[in-house]
Amino acid sequence: MAPTKVFLTGVTGYIGGDVFYAVYEAHPDWHYSLLIRNKDKGAEVASKYPSARIVYGDLDSPGIIEEEVMNADIIYHCADCDHVASAKAIAKGLAHHTPSNPAWLIHTSGAGILTIEDFRTNTFGRYRTKEHNDWEGVDELVNLPADSLHRNVDEIILAAGLANPTSVHTAIICPPTIYGPSRGPGNTKSVQAYWLAAAVLKRRKGLLIGEGKNIWHQVHVQDLSDMYCLLGDAATPGGSKATWNETGYYLAENGSFVWGDIQREVARVAYEKNLIPSPEVEPLSEAQVMEMDKFALYALGTCSRGHSLRARKLLGWSPSRPSLMELIPSIVDLEAKELGLA
């Protein structure tokens, strides 16, 4: 039997780097092609993974992406989930596959797609009751409104599978707040909680966005990578009973949290470490938050509630790493070190 051919984007990024680490550890015999934008990054990856084939290009290299997807059995798209041109190039590559030479695409979206209520009403820090799940609620997830974040790219991916379901099998993984150290060769840290810790340290004061009652879900990056591994296994002969295409939507979370609790904990930990003068948090207006970072209202102030059932039921996914709350001390330490405060 010929070795499985895998094409992966985003290997020097936070998610893609950890996904590749985990998949390679599980399947060192697979043949890997990695899209990398320049020779410096390529050399760094090659030094750690000399057997992988480096493909020089970026997400705006449609011809290269189409060809690599055409020649691959499994495609892990772990790069920018809002990049329309690369998604279209992937779809074109998938169209070359046939029932006798099928392809499996595992695409990365994001739980920002569930924040639409806050974006439509321009409200932040509020508790919302709407909850999604990827089992009974999978039909809703694959038909979310067009103005949802990431939805335009999700639509391209879903259409590629529906156009040729005997040849193309798509799965969308939709992670929420990700945290924990990536094991990849490039970026090793996430954004949301890390940005929060850095903002508190820079302003030397805790902060609270709105009422701080908004809820997100969480996943450790290494638990997330386990899901990618399990779906990759399911894409091979004799694999598990994963679902694909119109039922191939996998929320990836391990419990929920309230952002106000995280904001208070960052302030408490920073105070205990003598990095700020008080553990108190200061409620900030929308304008004040925007002054610090235009991304912060979305990252820390919206509500995104989605429960992961499908991967647990079908793949045996069992996330086990520490929670975001447990890792706040290490996140504060990391940001303090990067700011030269520790």
Side-chain angles (χ1 to χ4, degrees):
M1 184 181 295
T4 298
K5 294 178 290 185
V6 175
F7 175 54
L8 185 140
T9 69
V11 69
T12 60
Y14 176 65
I15 297 174
D18 200 77
V19 167
F20 183 57
Y21 173 90
V23 173
Y24 184 87
E25 285 286 303
H27 299 286
D29 55 320
W30 286 1
H31 287 190
Y32 296 97
S33 300
L34 309 173
L35 183 70
I36 297 178
R37 71 172 69 94
N38 62 53
K39 292 190 175 181
D40 287 343
K41 291 181 179 292
E44 185 179 5
V45 173
S47 69
K48 296 183 178 180
Y49 301 101
S51 65
R53 183 169 67 94
I54 306 300
V55 180
Y56 286 107
D58 59 23
L59 295 180
D60 289 305
S61 303
I64 292 170
I65 293 172
E66 179 183 348
E67 182 177 359
E68 292 300 325
V69 171
M70 178 177 67
N71 293 326
D73 302 309
I74 300 172
I75 302 95
Y76 287 104
H77 188 31
C78 301
D80 185 351
C81 66
D82 293 313
H83 198 277
V84 171
S86 60
K88 288 182 175 178
I90 288 170
K92 286 185 72 174
L94 291 171
H96 293 282
H97 285 267
T98 63
S100 61
N101 178 34
W104 282 262
L105 168 64
I106 301 167
H107 169 75
T108 309
S109 186
I113 202 168
L114 307 181
T115 63
I116 187 165
E117 286 185 87
D118 284 318
F119 272 94
R120 283 179 170 175
T121 57
N122 197 40
T123 51
F124 302 97
R126 292 190 182 180
Y127 171 80
R128 289 194 177 277
T129 58
K130 175 66 176 177
E131 298 183 58
H132 299 263
N133 78 72
D134 60 8
W135 192 248
E136 300 93 346
V138 68
D139 186 63
E140 184 177 14
L141 293 174
V142 298
N143 291 287
L144 287 165
D147 55 332
S148 304
L149 285 176
H150 319 315
R151 175 63 184 168
N152 56 338
V153 172
D154 272 17
E155 287 176 335
I156 295 166
I157 301 303
L158 288 163
L162 294 173
N164 205 356
T166 59
S167 307
V168 176
H169 311 278
T170 66
I172 294 176
I173 295 181
C174 191
T177 294
I178 315 174
Y179 60 93
S182 172
R183 299 164 290 184
N187 180 28
T188 59
K189 73 172 188 175
S190 191
V191 180
Q192 284 165 286
Y194 298 76
W195 181 91
L196 169 63
V200 168
L201 295 175
K202 286 175 187 175
R203 70 196 302 270
R204 290 184 53 77
K205 187 183 294 184
L207 62 87
L208 187 70
I209 295 182
E211 297 176 348
K213 295 180 178 179
N214 52 305
I215 295 173
W216 269 64
H217 288 237
Q218 61 189 311
V219 68
H220 193 290
V221 67
Q222 295 172 24
D223 284 326
L224 176 62
S225 292
D226 289 346
M227 186 183 290
Y228 284 83
C229 285
L230 289 165
L231 276 169
D233 291 345
T236 58
S240 69
K241 300 183 184 301
T243 52
W244 305 89
N245 298 338
E246 69 272 19
T247 54
Y249 207 100
Y250 296 80
L251 297 175
E253 57 80 41
N254 187 27
S256 63
F257 65 92
V258 179
W259 264 116
D261 294 344
I262 298 297
Q263 289 156 20
R264 292 182 187 93
E265 180 67 2
V266 166
R268 186 192 69 79
V269 168
Y271 170 71
E272 283 196 351
K273 292 177 179 290
N274 296 314
L275 294 166
I276 62 175
S278 167
E280 300 303 313
V281 294
E282 178 189 14
L284 299 182
S285 68
E286 182 178 329
Q288 287 174 303
V289 177
M290 289 292 285
E291 280 178 18
M292 291 192 301
D293 192 295
K294 64 182 180 181
F295 177 68
L297 279 175
Y298 154 72
L300 309 176
T302 54
C303 219
S304 173
R305 307 182 68 180
H307 298 272
S308 172
L309 304 178
R310 188 162 295 270
R312 287 176 167 88
K313 287 175 178 285
L314 299 181
L315 307 177
W317 184 58
S318 182
S320 60
R321 273 80 170 190
S323 69
L324 174 59
M325 187 69 82
E326 291 175 87
L327 290 192
I328 292 300
S330 64
I331 291 171
V332 170
D333 284 342
L334 177 63
E335 294 304 320
K337 183 178 179 181
E338 291 199 358
L339 291 169
L341 302 174

